[in-house]
Amino acid sequence: MPDKRHTYAFPTHIEYGPGARDDLPDFVVQTGLNKGLLVTDEALKKTGAAGALMKSFAKKDIELVTFSEVQSNPTDDNVYAGVDIYKKSQLQFIVSLGGGSPIDVGKAIKCLTTHSGPLEKYDDSKGGDRLIKNNMPPFYAIPTTAGTGSEVGRSAVITIGKTNVKTIIFSPYLMPTIAVLDPLVTRSLPPHLTAATGVDAFVHNLEAWLIPQFHPFADALAKEGIARIFRNLSTAVKNGDDIVARGEMLLASAMGATAFQKGLGINHSIAHALGVIYDLHHGLANAAVLIEVMRFNAQEPVIRDRLASLGSILNTKNEANAVIAAMADWLLSVGLPLNLKHLGVREKDIPAIEEYALNDPCCPLNPRKVQPGDVTRIIQKLL
Ligand SMILES: [Fe+2]
């Protein structure tokens, strides 16, 4: 409420626009550093995107050493391998080129260049954030998807191999020094990944918006992000070369990740469970459970009102059921599933899904309190 104390932080330096990627070396030149680690994945290495970036740095006499052993659900072993190269080659800064995984791994590598291991020591749910000091090298992030918004976020999600638990490493100091949002970079993302990652960004904005906490800055960004994704995702999916739609998606993705400093909710808790148990794509999982989760949330009057207020943005009535129906039509229009029927989810795994989701850090933030049995009922409706 406006009569109480609050803290707001929106500090990321963003360079946006077609060609912004090629300007990044100029910013690094200003730091006087000339040898960095490029964190990417095998697929991007093959497309030549990593090579093109290295060339643009070489023109400014800056060497990048490539590290591409990043899995789609990155592990602590990926991080340790990157730290090893960083230290052995005596590097001075880090550039991540990729989706959420290389960017999250870049953040975790950055942490372990100046902090001792093991990585799980910094687990946010165990107060590890207090151990992270502001003494880390510069870190630049170039997203190749418009989804996670990790380029403006302060956390890295890394699976700890020993426990197979997705662990959040969180600190404001992990935030990239510069986030480079270049729509030319996301042009090559294929339609199904454009759709799945785009819905992830939509759900970040939506879950942040639905939390009834007093945060006018995050709310404004979340509503704007929802509108931009709803208007542009279909174009980005159908015509990947549309720079305006690609740019709008990148902006809205960054808005979502900035807004979700308010928190996320049970949609993400279930998506995390499906990611860990079935290795299901995070955006696809978010899309598949979205409608049923919104029906669950809409039982709470405050949430029903907040959903209803999105009607005019989604070209429908300002009424919760109409908003949920508009979301369902929209998901279908971009080729995404509205249930888990064909995604390999099995009835017998429901207790494990529920257990994981109830223990997920996003669960307590869900605007409707989640009781034992709620996740089971949601999943059963989706099978
Ligand atoms: Fe997400």
Side-chain angles (χ1 to χ4, degrees):
M1 288 298 118
D3 57 347
K4 301 274 185 327
R5 264 289 271 112
H6 299 279
T7 300
Y8 302 116
F10 294 86
T12 317
H13 173 171
I14 295 174
E15 289 294 326
Y16 169 81
R21 176 190 58 184
D22 299 327
D23 297 333
L24 180 58
D26 291 326
F27 288 98
V28 180
V29 161
Q30 291 168 23
T31 66
L33 305 177
N34 58 16
K35 217 176 164 193
L37 181 71
L38 170 59
V39 181
T40 188
D41 59 32
E42 277 304 310
L44 283 161
K45 206 170 142 187
K46 281 187 194 133
T47 63
L53 188 68
M54 289 171 86
K55 268 187 206 148
S56 73
F57 273 87
K59 276 190 203 152
K60 301 285 174 181
D61 294 322
I62 301 173
E63 185 192 346
L64 290 183
V65 176
T66 307
F67 170 67
S68 60
E69 290 160 44
V70 176
Q71 292 164 243
S72 59
N73 282 309
T75 66
D76 52 346
D77 280 347
N78 297 158
V79 176
Y80 297 136
V83 173
D84 230 32
I85 295 181
Y86 186 96
K87 289 189 172 166
K88 276 187 189 141
S89 306
Q90 298 184 311
L91 304 178
Q92 303 158 321
F93 66 93
I94 298 160
V95 184
S96 279
L97 172 74
S101 307
I103 295 176
D104 281 9
V105 169
K107 286 178 190 169
I109 292 174
K110 160 176 146 153
C111 176
L112 292 191
T113 59
T114 52
H115 295 71
S116 63
L119 190 62
E120 58 264 38
K121 195 158 92 181
Y122 306 99
D123 182 346
D124 183 53
S125 69
K126 294 178 182 152
D129 60 315
R130 289 194 297 271
L131 303 173
I132 301 178
K133 306 279 176 264
N134 188 13
N135 61 354
M136 294 175 276
F139 171 52
Y140 307 95
I142 310 172
T144 56
T145 66
T148 67
S150 182
E151 68 278 3
V152 294
R154 6 184 136 203
S155 57
V157 183
I158 307 287
T159 302
I160 303 299
K162 269 199 308 222
T163 52
N164 201 28
V165 171
K166 272 184 189 272
T167 301
I168 297 175
I169 314 296
F170 170 92
S171 164
Y173 307 130
L174 291 180
M175 195 130 34
T177 315
I178 302 178
V180 180
L181 306 185
D182 185 341
L184 296 178
V185 174
T186 56
R187 264 187 319 180
S188 55
L189 194 68
H192 68 286
L193 284 178
T194 301
T197 51
V199 169
D200 182 29
F202 183 83
V203 178
H204 294 157
N205 283 292
L206 180 63
E207 291 205 290
W209 166 249
L210 292 181
I211 293 177
Q213 168 199 337
F214 183 74
H215 202 316
F217 291 99
D219 281 348
L221 284 173
K223 240 180 163 176
E224 191 63 23
I226 290 167
R228 285 176 190 275
I229 296 172
F230 189 74
R231 284 200 303 261
N232 290 284
L233 181 60
S234 173
T235 307
V237 168
K238 287 172 188 143
N239 178 13
D241 283 324
D242 190 310
I243 293 305
V244 172
R246 290 290 193 189
E248 291 276 15
M249 287 303 301
L250 272 170
L251 290 166
S253 163
M255 286 173 184
T258 311
F260 78 56
Q261 57 182 279
K262 272 178 81 184
L264 292 168
I266 190 73
N267 210 94
H268 264 78
S269 300
I270 300 176
H272 291 153
L274 298 173
V276 165
I277 297 169
Y278 300 107
D279 207 21
L280 206 57
H281 185 279
H282 177 68
L284 195 62
N286 266 304
V289 303
L290 178 61
I291 300 304
E292 222 35 75
V293 169
M294 288 307 126
R295 285 184 183 139
F296 167 80
N297 278 337
Q299 303 304 311
E300 185 77 38
V302 180
I303 309 312
R304 197 158 57 236
D305 291 348
R306 287 185 86 87
L307 270 172
S309 71
L310 299 174
S312 40
I313 289 178
L314 304 191
N315 301 329
T316 187
K317 285 185 287 189
N318 282 328
E319 194 261 311
N321 288 338
V323 165
I324 295 171
M327 286 181 196
D329 289 344
W330 174 71
L331 289 176
L332 284 174
S333 77
V334 291
L336 287 166
L338 300 184
N339 54 54
L340 296 166
K341 285 191 176 114
H342 304 290
L343 298 177
V345 175
R346 291 162 303 196
E347 181 96 35
K348 74 174 179 62
D349 295 331
I350 291 178
I353 297 169
E354 165 142 331
E355 194 195 343
Y356 193 101
L358 289 179
N359 288 303
D360 182 76
C362 300
C363 185
L365 301 171
N366 194 68
R368 178 178 168 190
K369 194 166 165 37
V370 184
Q371 307 285 359
D374 286 340
V375 173
T376 295
R377 280 185 286 277
I378 289 170
I379 303 287
Q380 278 168 341
K381 285 181 187 156
L382 292 166
L383 289 178

